[in-house]
Structure formats: structure tokens, C-alpha cells
Amino acid sequence: MVLEVEKVSKQFIHEKQTVDAVRDVSFAIAAGETVGLIGPNGAGKSTLMRMIATLMKPSSGNISVDGYDVVAHPQAAKARMGYVSLDTNLPEQMSGAQLLRYFARIYELDAQVAERRIADWADRLRLHEYMQKPFGQLSTGNKQKISLVRGLLHQPKFLLLDEPSNGLDILALGTLREMLQSLKKDGTAILISSHILQDIQLCDRVLVMHEGALIRNEPLAQISERLVSLEEYYLKAVSVR
Amino acid sequence: MNIGRMWTLAWRDLWHALRDKRNMTTILLISVIIYPALIVGVSWFQSNQQTEALETVYLLQVDDRELFNRLLETLPPPFKYELRDGASTESLDGTLLIQRDGTGYAVTWEQRSDRNRNVFLNEQMVSWITQCNELLRLEKLKEVGVTTQILQPVKFNVVDVTPEEQRQNPLIGMLGYFMALGIIVGGMGIAIDTTAGEKERKTLLTLYASPHTVAEIMSAKLIHISFFAVLAAILNVISMGVSLTVLLPMIEKDLEAGLRLDAAVFIQLLSLVIVLAVLLSALMLAIGIYARTIKEATSWMTPLLFVVIFIGLTWSSVDAEPFSWVYWTPIVNVFVSISDTFSHKLTVAHWSITLGTMIIAIVFFSMLTKKLFQSESVLFRN
């Protein structure tokens, strides 16, 4: 398994009271598998994503990426992971090319390899004409594309996407879906957290979180077999609680 | 910690801050303007003090004109005067009434208390009346055969033996504080932008999600802020040196007393302001990372500015005892040592203690700041 989440809980102290943001969550994602994470606001999705991304430590339980515990070996886990979220914006004064070269250096990629990968992604996402412009002057869609390339530049084994289609136009959405299909074929494990149920339709499996707990973990094929739409499935899962 | 990765981040931040003309303009303008303005200001204040006392005093009533004229001849007053038959005190600085009172005189000094310059005039007036009293008393005693030697068998003379370079100079008390001000102004904007600004723009967590360690991120930010704070400190010392050696002799010779600048003074000053700049950078970094927004960071750094101004103003003019605890107290010791440097009183021991304690304080505050960088409650404060 590329991602393993075992009995993970997270408590916060809010106004002198303990709040259970995530409660005893367990699941795993295999290489080449795409998993969707859905849930209402305050369900604990962002906290879970932040714990996987090493930004927060679990109060209990273990998370490992490609066998590396995110608390004990955060650097090794981060080197095998790409994280793109609304939390991770990029400096606006730098151009797309400068940003990607900077992250290539951080990931200690060979300069020639990095240039080849940047050019390749720019071709695939039709980004060439925007690469020299300051990031702050780009459209939301192009910003999101560059953020995605930033998360993929080091060819991670595991990709963590939070609201990936945010701000993308129809054309860019199509490209994103193609990209995810291609990564899936290459064996990349992907976890997508989204409010947009269409994003989840790309997934092999759906996780539903509610009030900090994981209340559903089902293959999308099974849901489709029951001829239930994803929207119906989600509303039913949340209302049952 | 991967030093190469840390430098990549520090250089990225530095490069963009250097390209922003506002940062360099602020540092250069503050350094270039502050010292000439300080010298002109102190010089103006001093000359103003002397001229203020020359305001006209109106003598409304003098009963014994003969006596008064004699006093004016033998003991001229340190103020201008004009005899008037009567006038309202509304438009005047003060009026003097000298009336006969039995065998002596009653002197009434009417003055307006809502004018600051009257403080100096009042001092001059009291001093003059005291001298007049002394003169008249001695004359009366002489008439009955009592001499000055009988009245004052012990003569008391006060002689100032302070060497020229150690004379009290109002500028010395201000220079350290202005240097600290220059350092904070140079580093504050950068500190806010690189911490609370990155939080607000949501670019800080991108670094945390990358292979950077917390130590790398914190160190790169400290180098970034320190670079500008140290640059501001060095420019301040250069500007101060040029102003004191070139501008001061042209404007106010009196202010040169006790100010001797040579290579040793510059080396001591540079070492002191550099450690002060790095420590203030660590403090600004801690405040900046704790703040949620640029606005919050700005309002929290303002008290830091006031604390440093307060320490600077309080301790720059203190004559510290050798082995005093002040040399062991970070920040305070820099201001005392800067003041000692100008007076050529800073010993090698005090200089070493000051630098040593400041370096320990830098390490301590850097470790504290690292804790803040690691804290989830700080990174995700709502």
C-alpha cells in the first residue's frame, strides 16, 4: 500500500474544550488507485489531509506514505508525496518557470531532468505562453495548473489533491481528468478531497467523512451497481448519521 | 538541516525583496536622512535655548530708578528689557514690578506659564534677582565694616576636569537609540512580509509541504530579515560617521565635545549594531510568525518599537559602573556600550561580555522562534 492510515484521531483544544476533529479513521490506498474523499464542511477532511501532508501531527494512530511514517520520517514521506491544496498557494511575484525551477532544486532534481519535465508538463497543459508571466497575473485556472505541476515535478508515488478543480474552466477540467488518468496508469496513488462530486467520479473508491469519522468506504463500481447517483449516495450517507 | 536547501529558500526571498525598490528606498532614506536631521535638530534646539532667554521683559514700575540703574550698570540682566508705563500681560512674556517695601524692595515677576520659552526666561530672572540681592547685601555689610572674607572664609571653586573626549554631549545619548530605530525600520517590513504575509497569502504551508525542514524554513527567514536589518545597521553607522565628521563641524562646534571618531570606534560600533540587528530580527521573526495577518503583525511590532525606544532612551545616557549588571543584560548592554564607545570608556571586557550575552540571546530567541514555527496552534491559528 502506498498510503496507510491506521486508527488516526486528532483532537484540538477550542475555548478550553476538547474537540474531536478526526476520530479513529483507517483506510489504505494502493499504487494506481484513485480515492475520493467527500464530506460536509467541518467533517474533518482538511484536518485529515493536513495530517497526511505532515502539516499536522495525529493525536493518535499512524499514517505512512510508501512505508515512511509521516511523524517519524516527514522528509522521506514528503519526498514521495505531492500535495496541492487551497492551503498551498505560490509566491505571486515569481513566474511559473522560476517557481517550478525553485521547487525542482528543493526536491534536489538534476537541472536537465527538471527542465525536461517542466517543458513536458507545459506542453501537456498548454502552459508555455504563461510560464514567464508572474504567477499573480495568471488566471485561476492557470495558477491551479502550475500548482499541479509543482506537486508532480518530483514524480511522487502518492498525490494528495484538495479541491483540484477549483477555478478550472471546462477545457482545463478535461485536461486535469486526462492528467489524473495518465498518472493512475503510471501507478500513482491519488487521494482527492472535493466538494465537487464530478471530481469523485474519476475515482475507484469513495470515502465519506462526517463529524470526524469515516462513515463510508466503498468502491465507486458498487455504488453505480445499485444505480444510485453519487449525489444521492452522499446525501443518504450523511443523513443516516 | 540541508544547508543547500536552506540557502535556496533564503536566496529566493532575498532576491525578491531586493528587487522590490520600496525596501531598499526605505533603508537608504532612513539612513541618509536621520543623522543630518538629528544634528540639525539638536543644534537648532541648543541655539534656540540661548536665544529664547533674550525675550523682552517689560518693567512696569520701578520705585527706586537710581538704584535700578546702578544695578543695570554693575549687574546687567541676561534678558532684554523695556520700560513701560503699563501694559496688559496678554501679549507679553513677562512684566517686572520693583517697589519699595520698608527698608528693602518687593519684586513681582508676572509671567505667562502657557509659553514653554518662559521656563528659560524664568530661570534667568530668578538667577538675576539672586545676584542683585547678593550685591546689595554685600554693599550694606561693607558700610558697617563687614568684609567678604569675614562672611565667606572658605572660597569654593568648581572646575570641570573631564577630558575633552569625555565631555557630556546630548548627541551621545541619542545615537544608539537612532541606530536601533534604523534597524527596526529596516527589518520590520521584511519580517512582516516573510512571516504573517506568507501566512496571509497561503504560501507558507507550501514550504512546509515541500521537503524543507522547519529548521531550514526558520533559518532562511532569519537570514532574510537579518540581511536587511544588518544592512540598515551598517548604513546607519556609515551615515552617522559621515554626518558627525563632515556635517557637525560645519553646523555646531559645541556638539563635537566628547565625540571622537576613529577606526576603533567604528569597529566597536559595527560589532554592536550587527548583534543588535540579528537579535531584533529574531524577535521580529517570532512576533511575525505568531501573527495571523499582516495587520496583526504590524500592531504587535509597534510595541516592540516602543520598548526598544524606551530602553534606548533610558540606557543610552546611563553612566554604568564597571562590572555592573547592565553589561550582562542583552539589548540594554548594547545601548550602554554604544554610549561608552563614543565616550572612549568601553573596555575590552565589557565589549566581550556585551557581544557574548547578545550571541547567547540570539541563540535562545532563535530556538524559541523555532518552537513557534513547529507549533500547529501557531500555524493554523484562526
Side-chain angles (χ1 to χ4, degrees), chain B residues 14-29:
Chain B
L14 271 173
W15 173 245
H16 289 285
L18 283 166
R19 285 182 65 189
D20 188 341
K21 285 176 189 155
R22 288 169 298 183
N23 295 324
M24 289 308 292
T25 311
T26 309
I27 293 172
L28 280 170
L29 270 181

Side-chain angles (χ1 to χ4, degrees), chain B residues 173-316:
Chain B
M174 293 183 196
L175 291 173
Y177 140 74
F178 273 96
M179 278 183 214
L181 203 65
I183 290 168
I184 294 179
V185 171
M188 195 162 86
I190 301 288
I192 291 172
D193 187 70
T194 199
T195 52
E198 285 232 46
K199 259 189 184 179
E200 204 172 287
R201 295 189 295 271
K202 295 189 172 181
T203 51
L204 190 66
L205 288 182
T206 315
L207 298 174
Y208 276 77
S210 75
H212 280 302
T213 61
V214 172
E216 284 166 23
I217 298 169
M218 197 278 297
S219 307
K221 302 273 174 203
L222 183 59
I223 289 170
H224 180 204
I225 304 167
S226 299
F227 174 85
F228 282 94
V230 168
L231 181 69
I234 293 169
L235 286 174
N236 267 267
V237 171
I238 294 170
S239 169
M240 182 215 63
V242 172
S243 303
L244 292 182
T245 48
V246 178
L247 189 64
L248 190 60
M250 288 160 62
I251 293 180
E252 186 65 55
K253 276 273 178 196
D254 291 350
L255 283 174
E256 286 183 88
L259 270 174
R260 207 184 74 218
L261 298 165
D262 53 30
V265 168
F266 272 100
I267 290 166
Q268 284 174 343
L269 272 180
L270 277 174
S271 65
L272 292 167
V273 292
I274 286 171
V275 288
L276 181 66
V278 179
L279 181 58
L280 290 176
S281 300
L283 284 170
M284 288 191 278
L285 183 61
I287 295 171
I289 198 65
Y290 189 72
R292 283 170 294 194
T293 58
I294 292 176
K295 198 177 165 188
E296 199 178 282
T298 310
S299 52
W300 284 353
M301 281 202 201
T302 312
L304 173 75
L305 190 70
F306 282 112
V307 168
V308 174
I309 288 171
F310 177 76
I311 296 173
L313 282 175
T314 313
W315 290 97
S316 290

Side-chain angles (χ1 to χ4, degrees), chain A residues 81-198:
Chain A
M81 182 186 350
Y83 177 50
V84 180
S85 102
L86 298 176
D87 274 346
T88 56
N89 202 357
L90 294 170
E92 301 214 321
Q93 71 276 28
M94 291 172 86
S95 70
Q98 284 175 325
L99 279 166
L100 295 175
R101 281 184 200 124
Y102 165 73
F103 279 99
R105 276 200 298 277
I106 295 304
Y107 281 104
E108 294 170 337
L109 294 181
D110 176 78
Q112 282 184 333
V113 173
E115 286 302 323
R116 209 169 43 240
R117 285 186 195 170
I118 292 168
D120 182 39
W121 279 114
D123 274 344
R124 287 167 75 177
L125 297 173
R126 293 179 289 276
L127 272 172
H128 272 300
E129 58 178 305
Y130 307 107
M131 290 298 268
Q132 302 309 323
K133 284 189 176 176
F135 187 74
Q137 288 176 18
L138 299 179
S139 66
T140 315
N142 283 330
K143 280 182 180 173
Q144 185 71 338
K145 284 182 192 174
I146 288 179
S147 294
L148 278 166
V149 178
R150 191 264 306 158
L152 292 166
L153 208 56
H154 57 297
Q155 295 185 333
K157 289 188 172 182
F158 170 56
L159 187 59
L160 190 57
L161 301 175
D162 193 5
E163 307 288 349
S165 58
N166 184 50
L168 295 186
D169 56 30
I170 296 169
L171 207 65
L173 268 174
T175 314
L176 170 73
R177 284 176 187 149
E178 275 173 34
M179 233 170 93
L180 294 177
Q181 292 290 359
S182 138
L183 288 167
K184 189 175 147 71
K185 274 183 202 159
D186 294 344
T188 310
I190 304 168
L191 177 62
I192 304 172
S193 164
S194 182
H195 285 101
I196 301 159
L197 295 177
Q198 276 179 316

Side-chain angles (χ1 to χ4, degrees), chain B residues 8-75:
Chain B
T8 307
L9 175 57
W11 177 243
R12 183 202 78 169
D13 286 352
L14 271 173
W15 173 245
H16 289 285
L18 283 166
R19 285 182 65 189
D20 188 341
K21 285 176 189 155
R22 288 169 298 183
N23 295 324
M24 289 308 292
T25 311
T26 309
I27 293 172
L28 280 170
L29 270 181
I30 291 286
S31 314
V32 168
I33 291 172
I34 203 164
Y35 296 98
L38 176 69
I39 290 167
V40 171
V42 173
S43 157
W44 176 82
F45 181 76
Q46 284 214 329
S47 56
N48 218 24
Q49 268 193 343
Q50 289 155 7
T51 53
E52 291 290 9
L54 292 172
E55 293 302 319
T56 305
V57 169
Y58 292 91
L59 304 172
L60 294 187
Q61 187 186 337
V62 179
D63 286 356
D64 192 338
R65 285 295 296 275
E66 200 183 322
L67 171 80
F68 185 68
N69 285 339
R70 197 163 55 78
L71 280 175
L72 295 179
E73 271 174 31
T74 51
L75 197 66

Side-chain angles (χ1 to χ4, degrees), chain B residues 133-142 146 148 151:
Chain B
N133 264 329
E134 182 71 16
L135 185 78
L136 294 172
R137 192 167 56 237
L138 287 172
E139 278 184 358
K140 292 271 181 203
L141 289 167
K142 215 172 180 179
V146 180
T148 317
L151 283 171

